[in-house]
Amino acid sequence: MKVELPPLLFGCCTFVIALLGLVMGSFLNCAAIRGATGEKLAKSRSHCMTCGHPLGAKDLIPVLSRLLLKGKCRYCGAKISLKYTVAEL
């Protein structure tokens, strides 16, 4: 038996699944980097890899933050590597 979702519901479900995928990609990337550098995953905040400034919530939105900040740190202006965005995707 085939069940079809209404287009709006299908679109909403697709959006939520894509958003969850971005969030999971961002988290796994963070976990991998912190594991490689020896930082604790739960005890430290996300920070700029150049200046060390802790990142705020608006700096941590997967992909969107990179677009809004034009690929640069909000605090020191250092270029953010594209590898972070690729890992999120």
Side-chain angles (χ1 to χ4, degrees):
M1 179 176 180
K2 185 178 178 182
V3 177
E4 264 188 57
L5 293 175
L8 183 62
L9 183 58
F10 179 77
C12 288
C13 289
T14 302
F15 176 76
V16 168
I17 290 169
L19 187 63
L20 288 173
L22 289 172
V23 169
M24 288 301 299
S26 181
F27 172 76
L28 292 173
N29 189 39
C30 177
I33 291 169
R34 289 186 186 187
T37 60
E39 290 182 66
K40 297 198 185 280
L41 183 61
K43 298 223 177 196
S44 61
R45 290 185 57 190
S46 293
H47 58 276
C48 172
M49 299 300 276
T50 303
C51 69
H53 193 284
L55 301 176
K58 60 186 172 185
D59 302 323
L60 297 173
I61 303 167
V63 182
L64 185 60
S65 290
R66 178 177 182 81
L67 296 173
L68 294 174
L69 295 171
K70 298 177 182 156
K72 295 182 180 179
C73 173
R74 177 185 309 276
Y75 307 100
C76 69
K79 188 174 181 180
I80 299 170
S81 175
L82 188 60
K83 69 181 180 181
Y84 300 112
T85 305
V86 170
E88 291 170 356
L89 290 171

